[in-house]
Amino acid sequence: SDHWHEALWEYFRNNDLDARSFFSGSVNPYHWNQFGFDLGGPLQIPHLLRMDKAWYIFGYYEGVRIRNASNFPAYLPTSANLQGNFAGLAPIYEPYTTTMGANGVLTRQPYPGNTIPKSEINASALTLAQALFPSPAAPAGLIPGANYLNAGVNQQRGDQWDARVDHQFGQRDNFFSRYTEADNPSRTLGLPSMPSVVTERLTNAAVSDTHVISPTFLVTGRYGPIRVNYNSASLPPAGLADQARISAAYPAFHGDQMLPPITIPGYASISYGHSIKGPLYEHSWTSDAQKIAGEHALEFGGGLIHLHIYADDVTGDAVQFATTQT
């Protein structure tokens, strides 16, 4: 084509026409915004490159923005629970009353009133619980099995762009080059103290030339690099491991303090982690050929790929509790 062509687009959706969630007092926020443009045509530079030299360029950009309510339900300890009072809940057994029964079975006595004395509450555990668990806010019985609903906002963002140039060198060479990149960060919420943040950057490029050796024989050579940077982290509040005096047992990871995953049956779990994948580099070289010989078409070629990956992850012990006697 001897003309430039372009396009613009926009897609938008919000919560104005959405129905209310059964467990929410009002319609939750939801916003989806997707937009972009593309542009393509013959490349010309005044006094340097004429339009008839057959250099063509095409490019586009697209962005996505999504914001929606987390609506994360959970069962959290109450202020009475954090003081050791578990009246009306599953029995809690005093670990220092262990005795051996006549049948050889170990037994323990439950705490009077199902309340743990303050003198026996672990200071580190209390520090973590007070910092990580918000006060239950949902009315009793509103959400089956939960006393808390986090309506905080999840956020997703995406940006992608691409540019490509095509040119024909004489009658024998068809050439193109392309560059593509994407940036896709996101942030999702469970508990307010446990945001999960993902960053992702992707880059890909290609250079290709097809050379016509004869009307029945052509060869194509390509080169393409790929780069990936991916980081996924759910990090605790800054300095909390020091405040709870457990940083020596659970050392920092790439400068970020970490906590162990904590599981208590019936309550929301605490799960922190950090995963790094990248930079990843991949370089690929390929070449293939097609030959027409009479009634036969022959195709052959080969490729070489070099891959380099850096990856790191948090590994360690988890802390699990149980409601049974141990």
Side-chain angles (χ1 to χ4, degrees):
S1 173
D2 294 333
H3 303 283
W4 281 81
H5 298 274
E6 60 281 329
L8 295 171
W9 61 88
E10 167 77 21
Y11 172 80
F12 177 73
R13 176 191 164 190
N14 63 21
N15 50 271
D16 288 344
L17 298 178
D18 289 354
R20 176 181 64 85
S21 171
F22 182 82
F23 298 116
S24 300
S26 60
V27 176
N28 291 315
Y30 185 91
H31 299 274
W32 178 305
N33 189 236
Q34 186 170 351
F35 51 92
F37 67 89
D38 63 43
L39 182 67
L43 181 64
Q44 56 180 327
I45 302 175
H47 309 296
L48 292 177
L49 185 64
R50 300 196 313 271
M51 182 184 298
D52 59 6
K53 290 298 183 180
W55 284 87
Y56 290 92
I57 186 169
F58 175 82
Y60 77 89
Y61 163 81
E62 182 172 77
V64 177
R65 305 290 185 268
I66 305 173
R67 294 170 60 87
N68 64 294
S70 171
N71 285 338
F72 174 79
Y75 188 83
L76 305 180
T78 64
S79 57
N81 296 158
L82 296 183
Q83 298 303 313
N85 186 347
F86 292 87
L89 301 177
I92 298 178
Y93 296 89
E94 164 63 76
Y96 304 110
T97 62
T98 305
T99 58
M100 179 75 73
N103 55 0
V105 177
L106 296 175
T107 61
R108 290 176 175 174
Q109 299 301 313
Y111 279 108
N114 215 32
T115 298
I116 304 172
K118 291 184 179 181
S119 60
E120 295 186 19
I121 296 178
N122 181 275
S124 293
L126 182 60
T127 298
L128 293 176
Q130 290 175 333
L132 299 177
F133 292 126
S135 298
L142 176 64
I143 306 174
N147 60 3
Y148 174 81
L149 181 68
N150 184 10
V153 177
N154 293 331
Q155 302 178 45
Q156 293 178 264
R157 195 190 83 200
D159 295 288
Q160 179 172 304
W161 53 95
D162 179 282
R164 172 170 170 149
V165 174
D166 288 81
H167 181 63
Q168 182 168 336
F169 291 96
Q171 299 296 317
R172 294 182 176 271
D173 287 278
N174 293 313
F175 167 86
F176 81 83
S177 179
R178 175 189 52 77
Y179 180 88
T180 305
E181 193 157 18
D183 186 20
N184 303 310
S186 64
R187 183 178 186 271
T188 56
L189 282 177
L191 296 178
S193 58
M194 292 194 300
S196 179
V197 178
V198 174
T199 59
E200 183 182 57
R201 189 69 175 257
L202 310 170
T203 304
N204 174 257
V207 177
S208 173
D209 184 70
T210 298
H211 180 69
V212 179
I213 297 177
S214 72
T216 60
F217 189 26
L218 59 86
V219 177
T220 299
R222 299 184 184 90
Y223 165 69
I226 296 174
R227 182 183 67 205
V228 175
N229 276 287
Y230 175 86
N231 192 314
S232 174
S234 180
L235 302 177
L240 182 57
D242 285 338
Q243 297 172 25
R245 300 183 179 182
I246 63 171
S247 55
Y250 300 96
F253 179 78
H254 289 264
D256 295 315
Q257 287 196 353
M258 299 301 301
L259 298 179
I262 302 173
T263 302
I264 306 174
Y267 294 89
S269 297
I270 300 299
S271 181
Y272 290 103
H274 197 171
S275 178
I276 299 173
K277 296 179 178 64
L280 175 153
Y281 295 100
E282 179 180 298
H283 299 271
S284 61
W285 297 263
T286 63
S287 180
D288 55 75
Q290 291 83 36
K291 172 65 177 177
I292 304 298
E295 297 181 351
H296 300 278
L298 305 177
E299 297 184 3
F300 49 93
L304 175 65
I305 296 177
H306 177 264
L307 181 65
H308 172 82
I309 303 175
Y310 173 83
D312 203 358
D313 205 338
V314 174
T315 58
D317 297 327
V319 179
Q320 297 180 331
F321 295 87
T323 56
T324 55
Q325 295 191 58
T326 58

